[in-house]
Amino acid sequence: MNVEGIVALPEAGAPPAEEHTTVRLPRPERPGEPALIQKSQRLTSTLDHAEVGIAEIDAEGRFLRVNAHLCDLTGFSPENLIGVSLFDTTFPEDVESDRSQFRRQVAGEIDRYTLEKRIRRKDGSYFWASINSTSVLDPAGQFLYAVRVQLDISDRKRAEEALARRMEEQSALFAFTEAIQHARSPEQVHAAALDAILRALRCDRAAILLADRAGTLRFAAARGLSEEYRRAVEGHSPWSPGETQPQPVRIEDVAEADLPAALKQSIAAEGIGACAFIPLLQNRRLLGKFMAYYDAPHAFSEAEIDVAVTLARQLGFGLERMQAERAAQRLAAIVESSDDAIISKSLEGIIQTWNGGAERIFGYRPEEIIGRSVNVLIPEDRQDEEPKILARIRAGERFDHFETVRRHKDGHPINISLTISPIRDEWGRIIGASKIARDITERKEAEARLRDSEQQLKDLLAAIPAAIYTTDAEGRVTYFNDRAVELAGRVPVIGSDEWCVTWKLYWPDGTPLPHDQCPMAVALKEGRAIRDAEAVAERPDGTRVPFIPYPTPLRDAKGRITGAINMLVDISERKQAETQQRILLNELNHRVKNNMQMLQSLLASAARNTQNVEAKLVLGEASDRLAAMAAAQRVLYGTTDATHFDGQEFLNAVCKTSQHAFPADILIECRSDVGRMPNDSAMPLALILNELLTNAVKHGMKSRPGRILVQLEREGEGFRLTVEDEGPGFELETVVRRSSGLQLVQGLARQLRGRFETARNPARCIIHFS
């Protein structure tokens, strides 16, 4: 451009003007120069009033002249700009592209260029400008300076950026929607969601948390978060449990946020400056949340929140679809693997689906049966069932466990249990029926066998010559035989009578026995069989029957009590025999006791009358032994048990009898824990105990005052009798040969299949026997 006569150019090194936006250099006045100056002044005024920024730039890139609008755009005064490099006010990332083109312009390679760049204002902010740089040349075509026209395009750039952002958001949403359509696992849905969140919201990190069965939010997927942070914040939720309309929560500056101290510390330690909590909903139920994290504080726009909510909605749809698909897959797997036949049919009875269970039960392959009428499975004598079933299905009714008979492919009948339900379309209209058929042939056969077995058991129980009845777990009578009616004198009421079939009950001593405390009740309540019990039943006519019950709980395969069985043995005849036996035993006892007393009197009289000391001693010992035998006899015949005696009662009787022959200051203490003992051992034990007590008093205590301890105890499968005194004791082998009494003890011990031994410190005589 040749500007001679138009614009006065500043000479090199000329100082900038103080008050004007143009630079003038002094030079000699030429002819016509005033007109030229006037014209230049008009041009300067025009430039100052232009609505674009205009500047003249020298070859070094320095401002030579700027107009008022450029000063308004930058906030700098002319004095601040003139002489300053234009690249000093350029955004650092834009400097190189502008500098490279300006150099080409100065070199004459191009005479103009345009670009868009960011320019720094005086307050430090930047604005976007469209630059048009045009070369001004001298008459020789050499570069003099450049005129740069700068237009503020910040609004356009913001619009373009917003548009680009919207397009990026839409692209991210589209890609996310496409990804979840092809996802085959929750992990793939999570990965696609995180990609979309990071891309659409331009955040630095992201995470997805889902509620577990307890409603606690747990990390399902995350990007850029440490394990320590996850553990620290897992379970936190800004929404209350059960909230139906949770809203997004944004924290634009974590440092200024009102958060619990521990949570705030964890977030800050992770280097998070801002974050947003976006709820995930499924059928208005809080499914979880996703988190968008920013490393620096971030001002969330409503558009960003709208995009986040849209992402959350899509993520919720994706997770719901995945759950539905997995549920459908599980259902399909269950249907196909089911042992039951699962069939669907139209309202016309045409088979539409057929699973593996149906093939196993009915014998048809899917390709053989689908499309055919269900009547092919129904025997001829049951063809009227299907129209009734279809009519009820059309009415919306359901069949539960309808037992019937169907036909196999080979023609044999199959006992089945049917459950039939209407199938509805999305508008609720009934379009068919689903049928579940379970083969109950084995169950029917088992039921028949069970009925036969129960009948055989009833026949067997009826044939047993004893009263037998059963109850359920609550004690209600469920069965009784004819002998039970005979014993009770009444017909029990099944399902009403409890615990026992009798009218009234008593203990053997005549005390009333409540039904809920009878042996059968105890057996059911405590879960154990009851034995060795007796009771008395009273019939409605007043007669009483003594009996022995044998109640036993019945259990199922899992050990649970299902009832009990009881056998009542009438012991009336045995009681009569026992009564007769007791009479005879009492008579025998009376005669034996009289004979013993007579014999003891004769021995005592002979001992008094003889002058022979040795004879007196022998007769005295014989009398003592006879007294011990008499004591044992009293115990044996004084009990109601004809075959056993009580150990403690036996010791007390024999020791008390022996005590009469000892000084009064000799104390005998008796202890026993054996309970019942057989009668055969009574007489030998009585004689052994008498000998050992006599030996303890004469030789151990030497008739001094003292205490003798007698103990009868169980020892393994046998017994042990111990007589302990306060004497020095003795060695059995040393004295036995010269003591007839100890020899007698040894012999009697062998009779009891036992052995005799002694011990010292303390002095003891011990009999081990069985």
Side-chain angles (χ1 to χ4, degrees):
M1 176 185 294
N2 191 333
V3 296
E4 184 178 354
I6 299 176
V7 179
L9 299 177
E11 294 182 0
E18 295 181 359
E19 298 180 357
H20 302 285
T21 60
T22 59
V23 177
R24 296 182 178 84
L25 297 179
R27 65 182 178 179
E29 188 174 304
R30 297 175 182 178
E33 191 173 66
L36 182 61
I37 292 173
Q38 185 179 10
K39 187 175 182 179
S40 176
Q41 290 174 345
R42 286 198 304 272
L43 178 59
T44 298
S45 178
T46 300
L47 293 177
D48 282 340
H49 288 84
E51 293 299 322
V52 294
I54 301 174
E56 292 177 0
I57 309 297
D58 67 12
E60 300 301 324
R62 295 187 296 264
F63 288 99
L64 296 175
R65 184 167 60 174
V66 294
N67 74 341
H69 191 74
L70 182 59
C71 291
D72 292 339
L73 286 175
T74 62
F76 291 107
S77 66
E79 292 78 7
N80 297 137
L81 291 175
I82 292 174
V84 175
S85 172
L86 68 93
F87 302 112
D88 290 345
T89 59
T90 300
F91 188 70
E93 293 182 4
D94 300 337
V95 168
E96 189 55 38
S97 63
D98 193 4
R99 191 194 302 275
S100 63
Q101 294 197 68
F102 185 72
R103 285 173 179 169
R104 293 182 63 202
Q105 187 176 27
V106 171
E109 295 177 12
I110 56 175
D111 61 358
R112 70 178 62 227
Y113 69 91
T114 61
L115 82 161
E116 294 178 352
K117 72 172 187 177
R118 285 157 287 186
I119 298 174
R120 178 171 53 84
R121 293 188 178 96
K122 185 177 181 179
D123 62 7
S125 63
Y126 288 86
F127 68 95
W128 276 96
S130 174
I131 308 297
N132 189 322
S133 180
T134 304
S135 299
V136 176
L137 306 177
D138 63 12
Q142 296 300 311
F143 179 87
L144 288 177
Y145 60 91
V147 176
R148 294 172 71 93
V149 177
Q150 305 184 44
L151 179 64
D152 185 357
I153 60 170
S154 298
D155 290 342
R156 193 197 82 193
K157 279 294 185 179
R158 281 192 290 270
E160 288 177 353
E161 184 179 353
L163 178 59
R165 181 126 186 216
R166 296 292 86 77
M167 292 180 65
E168 179 67 10
E169 291 169 353
Q170 293 301 316
S171 177
L173 286 170
F174 177 79
F176 180 41
T177 303
E178 182 73 12
I180 61 176
Q181 291 299 322
H182 297 90
R184 290 294 175 265
S185 70
E187 291 74 20
Q188 292 178 346
V189 173
H190 299 159
L194 291 176
D195 289 341
I197 294 167
L198 292 168
R199 181 179 173 188
L201 300 182
R202 298 183 183 181
C203 55
D204 300 300
R205 289 173 271 184
I208 299 170
L209 293 91
L210 301 176
D212 61 15
R213 292 185 177 179
T216 303
L217 297 184
R218 306 288 185 189
F219 277 93
R223 298 269 178 88
L225 298 176
S226 68
E227 287 295 331
E228 291 78 10
Y229 174 77
R230 294 189 198 186
R231 287 193 295 268
V233 304
E234 191 169 59
H236 170 264
S237 174
W239 308 287
S240 60
E243 191 167 343
T244 58
Q245 293 183 329
Q247 299 300 311
V249 176
R250 61 191 96 175
I251 300 176
E252 298 187 341
D253 188 345
V254 170
E256 301 298 326
D258 183 16
L259 295 171
L263 178 62
K264 190 172 184 178
Q265 182 179 357
S266 297
I267 296 175
E270 190 70 7
I272 296 170
C275 59
F277 303 74
I278 310 300
L280 302 176
L281 300 177
Q282 186 181 65
N283 298 326
R284 301 186 70 182
R285 179 179 61 86
L286 186 64
L287 179 67
K289 66 179 178 180
F290 81 70
M291 301 291 301
Y293 301 99
Y294 297 83
D295 293 344
H298 179 80
F300 293 93
S301 67
E302 290 303 320
E304 284 179 316
I305 297 301
D306 289 343
V307 170
V309 170
T310 302
L311 283 170
R313 188 178 300 116
Q314 289 295 96
L315 176 55
F317 289 157
L319 293 174
E320 185 176 5
R321 183 183 68 82
M322 189 59 58
Q323 290 176 354
E325 287 183 358
R326 296 181 74 178
Q329 291 169 358
R330 287 195 296 268
L331 179 60
I334 291 171
V335 168
E336 190 55 34
S337 62
S338 174
D339 290 333
D340 295 336
I342 302 178
I343 306 165
S344 65
K345 62 183 179 180
S346 68
L347 291 178
E348 290 71 38
I350 303 302
I351 296 172
Q352 296 174 324
T353 61
W354 187 265
N355 75 332
E359 181 176 348
R360 286 188 292 273
I361 292 176
F362 296 107
Y364 290 95
R365 296 190 302 276
E367 60 271 20
E368 293 178 311
I369 196 70
I370 291 177
R372 298 177 64 181
S373 172
V374 73
N375 287 336
V376 71
L377 305 175
I378 304 176
E380 296 300 328
D381 60 344
R382 293 180 179 266
Q383 287 288 327
D384 61 331
E385 289 182 356
E386 186 61 15
K388 297 176 182 177
I389 291 173
L390 291 175
R392 292 180 60 180
I393 290 296
R394 289 190 183 96
E397 296 184 36
R398 170 188 170 95
F399 288 80
D400 280 317
H401 307 298
F402 170 54
E403 295 188 1
T404 184
V405 178
R406 290 295 180 258
R407 183 168 52 198
H408 190 270
K409 180 181 178 181
D410 63 13
H412 77 265
I414 308 167
N415 288 291
I416 63 171
S417 173
L418 287 177
T419 296
I420 310 173
S421 304
I423 298 176
R424 301 177 185 270
D425 62 14
E426 57 186 341
W427 294 283
R429 297 176 301 190
I430 297 173
I431 58 173
S434 67
K435 178 185 297 185
I436 300 176
R438 173 165 296 178
D439 186 350
I440 58 172
T441 301
E442 291 185 2
R443 194 196 80 190
K444 288 290 187 179
E445 292 173 350
E447 289 175 352
R449 290 193 297 270
L450 180 60
R451 287 193 297 271
D452 292 343
S453 176
E454 289 177 346
Q455 186 58 49
Q456 291 174 3
L457 178 60
K458 289 180 179 179
D459 293 343
L460 176 63
L461 294 178
I464 294 176
I468 295 177
Y469 70 95
T470 61
T471 70
D472 59 20
E474 285 70 41
R476 291 184 291 269
V477 175
T478 57
Y479 167 81
F480 56 86
N481 65 358
D482 292 341
R483 287 300 182 95
V485 176
E486 293 178 9
L487 186 142
R490 60 185 290 270
V491 178
V493 180
I494 289 179
S496 176
D497 283 5
E498 291 183 328
W499 312 117
C500 193
V501 294
T502 58
W503 186 50
K504 291 182 181 180
L505 285 173
Y506 298 89
W507 291 111
D509 63 1
T511 304
L513 172 59
H515 276 59
D516 60 359
Q517 296 177 21
C518 73
M520 184 65 152
V522 174
L524 278 169
K525 292 174 183 178
E526 298 183 4
R528 63 184 179 90
I530 302 298
R531 298 294 183 265
D532 299 325
E534 287 189 21
V536 177
E538 182 176 310
R539 296 174 173 140
D541 62 6
T543 58
R544 294 188 176 185
V545 181
F547 66 91
I548 298 177
Y550 294 88
T552 303
L554 302 175
R555 302 177 186 272
D556 61 15
K558 294 183 178 179
R560 295 174 300 196
I561 293 178
T562 59
I565 184 170
N566 197 3
M567 180 172 69
L568 310 180
V569 178
D570 185 347
I571 57 173
S572 300
E573 293 182 0
R574 196 194 79 182
K575 285 293 185 181
Q576 293 173 0
E578 287 177 353
T579 300
Q580 186 63 33
Q581 183 183 36
R582 173 54 52 195
I583 294 172
L584 294 174
L585 287 174
N586 288 340
E587 179 63 22
L588 179 60
N589 179 40
H590 180 68
R591 293 185 181 183
V592 169
K593 182 172 66 174
N594 288 341
N595 290 335
M596 283 188 171
Q597 289 175 347
M598 184 180 295
L599 181 57
Q600 191 174 8
S601 297
L602 291 174
L603 291 173
S605 176
R608 287 194 301 270
N609 295 328
T610 182
Q611 300 301 317
N612 188 304
V613 175
E614 183 177 353
K616 187 182 290 291
L617 178 63
V618 170
L619 289 172
E621 291 177 349
S623 178
D624 291 342
R625 289 168 184 163
L626 189 60
M629 294 176 64
Q633 182 73 16
R634 287 195 300 274
V635 172
L636 292 178
Y637 290 97
T639 179
T640 57
D641 191 337
T643 59
H644 291 82
F645 64 90
D646 181 76
Q648 185 67 54
E649 184 180 357
F650 172 82
L651 287 186
N652 292 340
V654 176
C655 290
K656 184 177 180 180
T657 300
S658 298
Q659 180 80 60
H660 295 313
F662 303 149
D665 51 7
I666 298 293
L667 176 64
I668 302 176
E669 182 179 348
C670 302
R671 300 177 187 171
S672 174
D673 64 358
V674 299
R676 300 169 71 241
M677 295 184 67
N679 284 352
D680 293 345
S681 60
M683 290 302 176
L685 273 181
L687 292 172
I688 288 172
L689 185 54
N690 178 74
E691 293 297 327
L692 294 180
L693 287 171
T694 301
N695 185 74
V697 171
K698 288 184 177 180
H699 304 292
M701 310 289 290
K702 298 187 182 300
S703 299
R704 297 191 308 272
R707 184 179 71 96
I708 300 174
L709 175 63
V710 180
Q711 295 186 91
L712 182 59
E713 305 167 288
R714 286 199 175 275
E715 184 179 56
E717 297 296 325
F719 307 93
R720 180 177 65 229
L721 175 66
T722 304
V723 177
E724 177 183 318
D725 60 53
E726 297 174 350
F730 60 90
E731 295 292 339
L732 181 60
E733 298 297 329
T734 303
V735 301
V736 69
R737 290 197 179 104
R738 61 176 184 268
S739 173
S740 61
L742 294 180
Q743 292 176 10
L744 175 61
V745 171
Q746 276 189 326
L748 292 170
R750 286 194 293 271
Q751 183 179 338
L752 292 175
R753 297 183 298 279
R755 68 182 188 278
F756 175 31
E757 61 185 38
T758 61
R760 290 183 170 180
N761 298 320
R764 289 180 178 177
C765 292
I766 306 168
I767 306 296
H768 303 274
F769 66 98
S770 58

